[in-house]
Every structure is written in C-alpha cells, then in structure tokens.
Amino acid sequence: MTVIRSLSLEPPLSSVTCARSRILEFSAYIETSASFELSTLQLELWWSSNNIDWIASPFTLDTRNLPFCASPKQFEDEEIHRFVVKFVPPLNAASIEFTARYRFDKSSDWTWCGQFGSNGQVLLYAVTPHGEYPSFSSLFSNVSEELEESELMSEVVDSKVYKVVGITAPMVGTTVGGKTKYVKFGKPRDMRQYLSLVRIQTSWMGPRHGRDVFSIDRPAFMVLFQRKDGYHVCVLPLSNMKNLLTIYMSSDDSGNICLNVINDASEHRTHSTFVGVSKDPQKAVQAALYSLRTVIQSLQGVLTRSLIPEDPAFIDLASDESITVQPALRDRKADPVLGTWNELWMDLFGFCTWNSMGIEVSLDKVVRALQDLHDCGIRVGTVILDDGWQVTNDKRQLMQFEANDRFPGGLKHTVNTIKSTFPYIKHVAVWHALLGYWNGISPDGELGQEYSLTKCRAYNDDIHIVSEKDVNRFYDDFYKFLHSSGITAVKADVQMHIYDLEGDGISGTFIHKEYQDALKLHSLRYFYRRVSYCMSMSGQYFYYSLLQTSSPKPTLRNSDDFFPNIPSSHHWHIYCNSMNTILTSLLHAVPDWDMFMTNIPPYSMQHAAARCFSGGPVYITDITGFHDMEVLAQIQAQTIRGNSVALRPSLAATPLDPYFGFNHKRLLFLTNFVGGTGGFSMLAAFNIHEDENATFCEPVRKSMLPGLVSGGDYVLHSYITGYTTEFTVSDDYSNEDDDEDVLMLTKLGNSKWDVFTAAPLATVKTRFRILKIGALGLLNNITGAAAVERQKLTVPSNGRAVLDVDMKALGILGIYMSDLRSFSNAITKLLITIQGSVVPLSSVSSEGNILKIDLTKAWTELNLSSKWSNEVSLRLYIT
C-alpha cells in the first residue's frame, strides 16, 4: 500500500508562534509517490481556543503554484503537495492550540500527527499594535519582599530592562562557593514556553525547554520565556567576581524562578539580576546582557587600548585586526560599513591531535599526520597539541614546563620541526589545564620546588595548586617559556575544576580571581589573546573574563566535547551548540563548536556544515590516513599564499527559534550574516531528529533571513542543489502574505542539511540590456559567500558596466546574472580578468543564470603569483 512518506505542518507542531493577522492560515506539506490518489485523502486541522471545545477544519488541496523544493529527491517518483486551511478564531481568543490528523479514505482509521504533548500554539495577542511594555509586577507573581526592582534605560531598541537587587549575608564555608541562599524571584505570568540554559555538568552549559509551568532539573544561568501577549522575557543573574557573588537559578514545585545566591565575601553584598523584555527574543537577551555588561565595566574598569601589546606574530599585511570596508554593490545604496576581522588564527583551517592521537601524542605522529594532510592537498594553518605533551606523574600532576620525551629536543625543537617541514603553518598551540594539569602541580617536581603550593582536595584526592602569591608569576613564567619555544596560542582547559576544590587554604578571592586574572593578562601579553577557554561555561567566566570589548577576542568552547564513537551524541552536539549561542554569541568571545572528524558517516557532513556556519574556528581531528576528501573539499579553501582557510561568516550563528526542542518534529534553522549593510544573509537547516526515518518539509521565507535591506533585490541560493530564486524586499516584508513570504521549500531526511544564501543584486542598464547581477561566493564551499571580501559595480557613461569582486581564496566563484540563460554562447562574449590578466575561456562555464569562474584553474594556467596582496581581484566587463 502506498503511504504518505512525510507530512509537515506550518506552523509546526510543538511550536508556539505569533499570528500575523486575525485570519489564520495553516499549510500541510505532504510527500507522496506519483501514484498516490490525493482525492481520497482526508486531512483535518483540530484546534481549540479554550482547550475544551475542539473544532475540526478540513484542509483543501492548494492548486496554485507550489514553491519549488530546493532539496534533492529521495525517491524517483516523489511528489510534494500543499494543503491549506484558513479560519478566523473567536474575537475573545488569546491563543489557539492545534494538531492535525489524516486518513487515506473514509473506511480507514485516523492517524494523528505528532504525539501527546506536541500540540502547537498560535498567540493572537501578538497581532495587536505595540502598547506599553509590561510592568515588572505584570511579569512575575510571588516576588520575594527582599527584592527591589527599578527600570533602566535599555541599550537595545524596542526593548525594556529592569534591574532587581537584594542583599545577602556572607556565607563562607570550607568549599569554594560556601553556602547557598535561596530567594524567590517570582512565578512567570502568562508564560507559554521557555528556554533555560543550565549547568549540565560542572564545566558545561546546555538547554532545557518547557511549556506553561517553569521546571528545570539543573541550576540555570539564563531563563528566556514567551508570554501569551507575544513578549519575550530574559532573566539574567549577575555572577560578579569583584563582589564574590555567584548566582544560579532553579525552580520550585510551584513553578517559581528561584535565585541561588552564594556570597564568598566576608561582608554583606548586593546581588543583581537583569530582566530584558522585547517582542524579539534575541533583543530581550541583548537588553539584559548589555545592561549587565555596563554594570560590570563600571566595577572592573575598562582595559584601555594602550595595554594591548603589538602582536609579534603578524607584522605584515595579514595583520590580526585589519579593517576592511564591505560596501553594498553600489556605494549610493548603502554607506560603507567597517568590519573588523577577528584574530586571523581563527580563520586558518586547523588540526587538533586529541581524537586522532589522544594522550599518546608525539612529534613523530604529528609530523606524519600533517604530511598525510599535505599529500591530500590540505595546508592547515593552525596545529593544536592537545593533552599528552606535558611531563606529568601518575597522580595527573604537572612536573615541569618542558615537553615530555615523546618530543625529543623539547617544545622549541617540535615547533621548529613543524614549521620548517610545513612552512605554511602559522600557529602551533598547546593544551594545558588552568591549574597546570588535571590535578594541579606535583610538589616533588621542578615546578613544586619553584612555586609556593597550596594543598587542597578534589573528588576525595589530595592535590596541590600554585598558591595565591605565586599564580601571576607562574603564568608569566609558563607563557614566557611557551612563547620562547615558538608557541603562539593556548587551549586553557579544565577551568571549572577550581569550583570543585576544598580546603582551609582556599578562599573565594584567590580561586575566583587570581587564576582568571593571570590567564587573561598573560595570554594577552604573550599570545595576543589567542586562547581558547575550555570547560569554562559559567557566569563566573562569562561576566568576569569574557565581557570587556577592549582586547582581542579569545575563543570559547561552546559545548561539551565531540564524541565520535557515541551515535546519540552527534545531533545533540549540534543542537546544544545552537542553543548555547543565544547567550555566548553576545560575549566578547567567538563560540567554538569543537573539532570533528570527516570520516564518521552519516554525521560528518552535518558536523562540517555546522562548524562552517557557526562563525567559529573550523578544525579537524582525523586519524592519519582516514579522511573524507569530499568533506574536506567543502570546508576549507586555498589562498593564493598556499594555505588553507575556513570561510567564516561575520557573526556567530544563532537559532531562528530559541524555543526549539531537541526532539521536536521539525527542522532546526540557524541564521548568520556575511559583511556589513547590504551583505549576504544566510540560513542553515538541519534535520537532527533521532528517528532515522524522519523527513521534514518546510518553507524558506524572507522573514527568516536576517539583515535584508528594505527595497533591495536579492537572489536566494541553495548550496546543496544550486537552485536559485530572485526576490525583492518590501518595506514591511516581515508582515507579507504567506505566499509572498515563501521563497522555496526544503525537505531534509535524517542527518541532512542545507545552507541558503541571499546574495544582494544590483540592476545594470547598458546600451543593450538590463539585468540584475551579484556575486554568490565560492560555490564549492559550504559558506562560500564569506570568501567575498568586497564587490563593487561601476557603470561609466559609455554604458559598459564593470563588476569588481575581491576574494579571500581560490575556488569556483559564482556570479548571478539574471539574463544569462537567455543568451546563447553568452560566456564567449564576456571579458573577465584576474589580477589584470584575461581569464582563459576554459576556466569559465555557466549553469542557468549562474556564471562559474574556476579561480584555481585560471590562477594556475596564468601562472600568477600573490606578490604584495593576499586577495584575488576579479573584474567582469558587462556590455
């Protein structure tokens, strides 16, 4: 019997969405075989405005033009159909709940979509005009009398901020963190759904979602919830190291948010919590965090620019903080926007030894691995020597600074060997634990004799750590040694371990501040803040070390580790990283989604796409000789100077829906952007459902794409299939009719993904034609739009237009020309130059309206060299 292969609702089940108007429209996208008899199918939407009386509204087949599906077919005979239903809910309804059911004919049984508890909701109050923001008393009930609230001026448009303060007495005990005071913050009023970012383990953060009643199983750093009136509310407590306060949140049996306040000071302290309110969930989080940051900076003081040393590793054109201008296609359409490159080491494609070699890492193994990558055409720019290079004892304590005997000649010889054998490698980084090694410093070793140690306990073991008076000297000496050995970056791991320490010699001031201050100061002094914060996901680190914007950005490991041998971990890893960026993307750090392996099907490509789209560093940990070259070819690009780079978008990727639950039966969408005003808008879709047979079909809408310019022309491009569609952005495109808003469909099976890029177009009028044109980026790279450094269209008086495109790397450059398919032999009539030389015709091809220029082939055939520039300059003449 032929059955429905997939059925997806829009709005999706398990979601809470805001209505655009009082006329509600629902769509059902159904995938069937071509032989399926649609006339006998019965499909009904079941909805209720009061959870008592449920109404069945039948769907009807939509015979209008269906948006094309930009995903490859899974079956030769597959077809996708859209069914729609429209209705007006009762005027007094604040929201509706819905689900759906279907059957193949009148004699068959009904099948319900979704499962118990997975109904969707549509909020109707959200369609009313913006009125007064909710008062604090209307946001929470049962607020403790100990708390006082005041309104602050928000630093974010279309938002409001409240500051809530209280007093807590000193509660110092024998452990770091002392004792906890519980304060009832209040019960969220009219809450429909929530996200909590909680402490998964001592060192890691992760999401928890729920509906209606607040309940979490772990201490939370942040709570974000949506009310029935459409407003989003972010609750963000301040863990303040200067005042020695740590605050988490928890829930009680009545659904209250409770503050868990720990005062490590010797006197009473004021604790603060910030509440952001907005119709936009990300603005609610921003409003709370930016107000928190202002308070932090007033307490700490802001690091001045003069304290930042010159980076000795880069004194040529490839400086770490080069400023570039990313204009729109025409200067008159948008003002130039300054875009600052994050530290160059993040843009270099990297290799880490951890999963590849483990703690048995050695110089010989590293060289073999790098030679293997070199032979595959991969020129990594950064190498990370992970755990295993240090001299330690059987108690997991550090003995000395110098490398162990698996690195003959020491660390300096190791770096010299790597860089002399592979001269394109710019950075060699090393791993170390915050306390030296996992259990600190050996009292019997070289370091134990040089520095004063404090004895304490952790996990029922006696360990020794560098004492308060010597922490700064220890880090100065350690990083000075690493720097003199040629190391240019560090991965500082096991950072939350300090909160597991017990002992009489452990004070809040010492533990909370001294190590963080030393790490920040000396990583800035010796490595220009090329440091990865690992196992450090907590407010103590976020708000003490990772908020000030006056120094270069470090990276921040954004989730628990990548576990290649645990199948259930792969989708969770992508999901957890996606949700965590709701908070971490706003810190002064670049979220790092961790290394991955290219040869673990079926997960490799999804991991690769997630890393590329994340905006963070991209680095692999493949076992020598085990690579998937198809994956490697799509995640890095070769520069004209011979090294491999990752094409990173300009921002950190964030989820389109912060309330997306891990096993919701729909696609996970992430957004990102490349450039400044008039740049490339990007959307990624992932199927991370645990059911290996799960397939979801959902629309890609204009309103899902960030940063579109009103009145601008764009072309949307699917990376997987290469499909394109043009569209124009209206002044109020977020409220367009559904049919105008939908650009294409995407249908993804389990572990599948796609990346959609909206590229800006300019209209050219020459003597012979009128067309729209714009660069798409490198078509053979997942985030190829990030390879476009700048583009500019010039139309001189003679009518011969010129498109100049400057690229960061080589590959297949795509340029969209709206009339290209209508011209026979069009490419033979084009004049294209690269670095001033005419591009050979053999390097040029076309597909539909996309002109394809193989920059690598042209560069090689023309025997070009980089000279003083590290960019590829291409010019296209249009007549």
Side-chain angles (χ1 to χ4, degrees), residues 13-147:
L13 293 175
S14 304
S15 70
V16 178
T17 56
C18 294
R20 298 182 180 187
S21 74
R22 297 293 301 194
I23 302 175
L24 301 184
E25 178 175 336
F26 290 79
S27 298
Y29 296 96
I30 299 178
E31 178 196 349
T32 70
S33 65
S35 60
F36 185 81
E37 183 54 59
L38 288 174
S39 61
T40 62
L41 178 67
Q42 290 182 282
L43 177 63
E44 294 180 342
L45 182 80
W46 274 64
W47 61 275
S48 170
S49 60
N50 56 18
N51 285 326
I52 298 176
D53 299 324
W54 285 81
I55 299 172
S57 297
F59 282 90
T60 59
L61 181 65
D62 188 351
T63 57
R64 298 169 296 176
N65 290 332
L66 180 72
F68 64 89
C69 185
S71 302
K73 288 187 174 184
Q74 293 176 289
F75 305 95
E76 285 295 327
D77 64 341
E78 90 176 29
E79 289 188 356
I80 295 176
H81 312 277
R82 180 170 66 178
F83 290 75
V84 296
V85 60
K86 293 184 180 182
F87 62 91
V88 178
L91 290 177
N92 62 348
S95 64
I96 70 159
E97 187 172 356
F98 67 91
T99 185
R101 67 178 187 173
Y102 65 89
R103 62 181 178 180
F104 300 109
D105 53 56
K106 293 182 179 181
S107 62
S108 60
D109 294 331
W110 289 97
T111 299
W112 289 93
C113 301
Q115 55 193 15
F116 181 77
S118 67
N119 292 349
Q121 291 186 30
V122 177
L123 305 181
L124 301 177
Y125 278 145
V127 304
T128 60
H130 276 262
E132 291 293 324
Y133 282 92
S135 64
F136 183 79
S137 61
S138 69
L139 297 177
F140 301 94
S141 62
N142 304 329
V143 179
S144 171
E145 294 181 357
E146 297 182 35
L147 301 177

Side-chain angles (χ1 to χ4, degrees), residues 35 104 207 389 725 752 765 802 842:
S35 60
F104 300 109
W389 68 272
T725 185
K752 300 300 182 182
K765 184 177 182 180
V802 177
S842 60

Side-chain angles (χ1 to χ4, degrees), residues 360-372:
E360 295 303 316
V361 58
S362 68
L363 175 58
D364 181 58
K365 290 180 180 179
V366 171
V367 171
R368 286 206 308 269
L370 294 175
Q371 185 64 53
D372 176 48

Side-chain angles (χ1 to χ4, degrees), residues 724-831:
T724 59
T725 185
E726 290 184 35
F727 66 96
T728 300
V729 181
S730 64
D731 291 337
D732 191 18
Y733 66 93
S734 61
N735 290 316
E736 285 184 342
D737 180 83
D738 270 11
D739 289 334
E740 296 178 355
D741 191 33
V742 175
L743 299 174
M744 58 177 65
L745 301 178
T746 180
K747 181 180 67 66
L748 301 177
N750 186 261
S751 298
K752 300 300 182 182
W753 59 275
D754 202 351
V755 170
F756 302 91
T757 301
L761 299 177
T763 300
V764 181
K765 184 177 182 180
T766 69
R767 288 178 296 175
F768 307 106
R769 59 205 279 211
I770 299 177
L771 76 153
K772 295 177 181 178
I773 188 171
L776 298 174
L778 295 183
L779 302 177
N780 57 317
N781 194 284
I782 294 171
T783 47
V788 180
E789 184 74 5
R790 65 189 68 82
Q791 58 177 323
K792 183 177 181 180
L793 182 69
T794 306
V795 184
S797 57
N798 63 11
R800 190 183 195 188
V802 177
L803 178 66
D804 289 299
V805 185
D806 295 326
M807 304 290 293
K808 300 175 186 175
L810 300 170
I812 299 175
L813 170 62
I815 296 178
Y816 183 83
M817 303 175 70
S818 60
D819 64 353
L820 188 61
R821 72 170 76 239
S822 63
F823 285 85
S824 59
N825 301 319
I827 62 174
T828 63
K829 302 172 184 178
L830 295 173
L831 175 59

Side-chain angles (χ1 to χ4, degrees), residues 414-426:
T414 294
V415 175
N416 289 339
T417 300
I418 290 173
K419 288 193 170 184
S420 62
T421 309
F422 311 100
Y424 46 79
I425 292 177
K426 295 184 178 181

